[in-house]
Amino acid sequence: MDTREQQARREARKKRRRRSQIMVYAVFLILILALGTGLGFGVFALMESRKAADEKGQNNQELIEEMLATEESIPSVEPTPEPTPQIPEPTAEERLEAYVEEQIAMMPLEDKVAGLFIVTPEAITGVGTCIQAGDGTRQALEENPVGGLVYFSKNIQSEEQLREMLGNTAGYAKYPLFIAVDEEGGSVARIGSSIGPQVDSAEAIAATGNPDNAYQAGVTIGAALAGLGFNVDFAPVADLANAEGSVMQGRSYGADASSASGYVTSMVRGLQEQNVSACLKHFPGIGSTTQDTHDGRVSSDRTEAQFWAEELAVFQAGINEGADMVMVSHMAAPALTGSDEPGIFSSVLVTNILREQMGFDGVIITDAMNMLAISEYYGADEAAIMAVLAGCDMLLMPEDYEKAYTGVLEAVQNGNIDEERVNDSLRRIYRIKYAGMAE
């Protein structure tokens, strides 16, 4: 190969190397340019992003400042406090109930049982006839805190003497007393027969044809009794004199139930407006008999329908008028009770009929338990226990108070009479006695 060919080849190889180098340099330059361009764009983008963020932050700050300024321009409003629950004031009735419960809760059992009895002052003092109240009466009431005392004509000498005796007696009592009397008007008038005032009999008042006269009689009697110190009158008579020779002739407002009811309710209203408790008697109505429970056993042959349509209708009227007490008689009423036992011993009569069916929620008291209808056939303790079990709240004049009291006390202690049964009676008794005291 000649020298010129070799030289030509060498020149060709040099050219190829230069082209390759140029290409490499070009690619490298392109890469550097691309990298630089990307880096520059990234820096620019980053700077733009930061600028935008700064602007956004500034805008947000301005928005926050604007919101704060707006809040400051709005008057502040204090939150409305939750209303305090209003507890209603207790009613007078609720205060009375609470007061009665409080008093009963403090009483020992012995005093509770004694509180079921109304007796003569002679029964606890032991004297022949009480005409004054001194240390003997004080001691007697401390030892025998009975529920009440009943007085008769023999205890009355003068208005001044009676007022002083009753005032002292009430002052000596451990608990408020029922101070009672039989003052019907007419022939049954312990006060009217001695110191006045005199009031016509129920029969005479009914003969006027005007029930307002019975109201005036109640006001007259009630005012006189209250002024002397009495707070219970065993009146009015609600019996119907609806049999020939009725035992209640003269003492009753007549034989017609609708007519008699008006006189009975008027008498109740007149008495109780003077703060003297009225006592309807003699449930379920003994005017259909000619016999007297003072003298022995008495029974009525009235049918159940007759009792409800006539006798009981009069008592219902008196109950509806608000009479504080009802006196249950010793008469048997087989048509109502299914038994020949005296009414005071019948739970059917006392509890089922009088308390539940007729809705009487006042004090149920027995007729005097020293009457022969009771004392001839039952011991004082036995009779007292039976009357309480039947539903009677108060026991009037047992033949032997000490024996009757001990019998009831022992019956409660041994569980034959539930103490709550005694408490129920005391609630009814003290609702009357404490009325007005819890104000």
Side-chain angles (χ1 to χ4, degrees):
M1 181 177 299
D2 60 16
T3 304
R4 287 182 295 184
E5 286 182 359
Q6 291 178 344
Q7 186 175 1
R9 289 178 179 176
R10 282 196 294 274
E11 289 294 329
R13 285 197 294 272
K14 287 180 180 180
K15 289 179 180 179
R16 286 195 296 271
R17 283 198 297 271
R18 282 197 295 272
R19 286 196 299 270
S20 296
Q21 287 175 348
I22 291 169
M23 290 179 66
V24 169
Y25 291 150
V27 170
F28 183 71
L29 180 60
I30 291 170
L31 288 175
I32 290 174
L33 289 173
L35 181 62
T37 302
L39 181 61
F41 181 77
V43 171
F44 176 77
L46 179 60
M47 290 178 67
E48 288 296 318
S49 175
R50 289 189 63 180
K51 180 180 179 182
D54 290 342
E55 291 177 353
K56 183 177 180 181
Q58 183 176 358
N59 291 339
N60 287 343
Q61 181 65 30
E62 291 175 354
L63 179 60
I64 291 171
E65 290 176 356
E66 182 179 351
M67 290 174 66
L68 291 174
T70 302
E71 286 183 2
E72 290 175 358
S73 66
I74 299 175
S76 61
V77 178
E78 293 294 328
T80 303
E82 290 293 324
T84 303
Q86 295 296 317
I87 300 175
E89 285 290 323
T91 64
E93 184 177 352
E94 290 170 338
R95 289 195 298 272
L96 175 60
E97 290 297 319
Y99 190 75
V100 167
E101 291 295 334
E102 179 184 345
Q103 300 307 307
I104 293 174
M106 294 189 296
M107 296 175 70
L109 178 60
E110 292 78 6
D111 290 2
K112 290 181 179 182
V113 172
L116 304 181
F117 288 87
I118 293 182
V119 300
T120 64
E122 292 82 8
I124 59 172
T125 61
V127 303
T129 299
C130 283
I131 56 173
Q132 60 183 357
D135 289 339
T137 301
R138 185 198 304 272
Q139 182 176 349
L141 287 171
E142 287 176 358
E143 296 173 356
N144 302 281
V146 292
L149 295 171
V150 57
Y151 294 83
F152 292 86
S153 297
K154 68 178 184 178
N155 303 116
I156 303 170
Q157 291 186 327
S158 69
E159 183 176 337
E160 182 180 354
Q161 165 265 332
L162 180 59
R163 185 180 291 109
E164 181 180 356
M165 178 174 66
L166 299 186
N168 288 346
T169 299
Y172 297 152
K174 188 175 182 180
Y175 309 100
L177 282 171
F178 282 142
I179 299 181
V181 67
D182 284 292
E183 195 72 21
E184 302 170 11
S187 62
V188 182
R190 318 305 184 194
I191 308 302
S193 63
S194 54
I195 61 176
Q198 295 182 344
V199 175
D200 286 340
S201 68
E203 184 179 55
I205 291 173
T208 68
N210 186 356
D212 284 345
N213 291 328
Y215 169 75
Q216 292 301 326
V219 170
T220 299
I221 291 173
L225 296 183
L228 292 167
F230 290 100
N231 53 28
V232 173
D233 186 9
F234 292 137
V237 165
D239 305 288
L240 294 174
N242 53 0
E244 186 71 27
S246 170
V247 69
M248 298 308 297
Q249 195 71 46
R251 297 173 61 189
S252 167
Y253 290 105
D256 179 71
S258 60
S259 174
S261 294
Y263 293 97
V264 168
T265 56
S266 295
M267 177 73 163
V268 168
R269 187 166 62 254
L271 284 171
Q272 295 195 166
E273 283 181 0
Q274 305 304 312
N275 296 317
V276 173
S277 291
C279 180
L280 305 172
K281 62 184 185 183
H282 309 78
F283 189 81
I286 63 175
S288 62
T289 69
T290 59
Q291 300 169 302
D292 193 335
T293 52
H294 287 84
D295 303 325
R297 286 186 181 273
V298 174
S299 182
S300 172
D301 60 2
R302 301 285 279 173
T303 67
E304 182 179 16
Q306 287 173 323
F307 267 119
W308 279 105
E310 299 182 45
E311 283 89 348
L312 297 188
V314 183
F315 280 93
Q316 187 70 68
I319 290 169
N320 293 346
E321 186 61 37
D324 284 337
M325 296 185 178
V326 171
M327 179 182 287
V328 180
S329 78
H330 305 316
M331 181 193 76
L336 291 175
T337 67
S339 169
D340 287 325
E341 64 187 351
I344 64 169
F345 300 148
S346 172
S347 61
V348 173
L349 183 66
V350 175
T351 299
N352 295 359
I353 294 177
L354 179 54
R355 184 73 75 199
E356 296 174 358
Q357 295 183 50
M358 298 180 71
F360 181 61
D361 59 0
V363 170
I364 298 175
I365 186 170
T366 70
D367 203 346
M369 298 180 73
N370 59 359
M371 293 181 182
L372 293 182
I374 302 300
S375 61
E376 282 262 309
Y377 305 94
Y378 307 91
D381 51 352
E382 177 189 14
I385 292 168
M386 291 171 66
V388 171
L389 289 173
C392 295
D393 298 310
M394 301 201 81
L395 310 170
L396 177 62
M397 296 169 56
E399 182 186 26
D400 183 332
Y401 162 69
E402 188 62 38
K403 186 176 181 181
Y405 164 77
T406 302
V408 175
L409 177 61
E410 290 179 352
V412 177
Q413 290 171 333
N414 63 30
N416 288 339
I417 296 175
D418 195 317
E419 185 174 350
E420 187 58 23
R421 166 70 192 83
V422 176
N423 291 342
D424 279 342
S425 288
L426 291 174
R427 290 184 185 103
R428 288 185 277 270
I429 292 166
Y430 285 138
R431 284 185 196 121
I432 299 172
K433 290 184 175 182
Y434 289 131
M437 297 181 67
E439 296 295 333

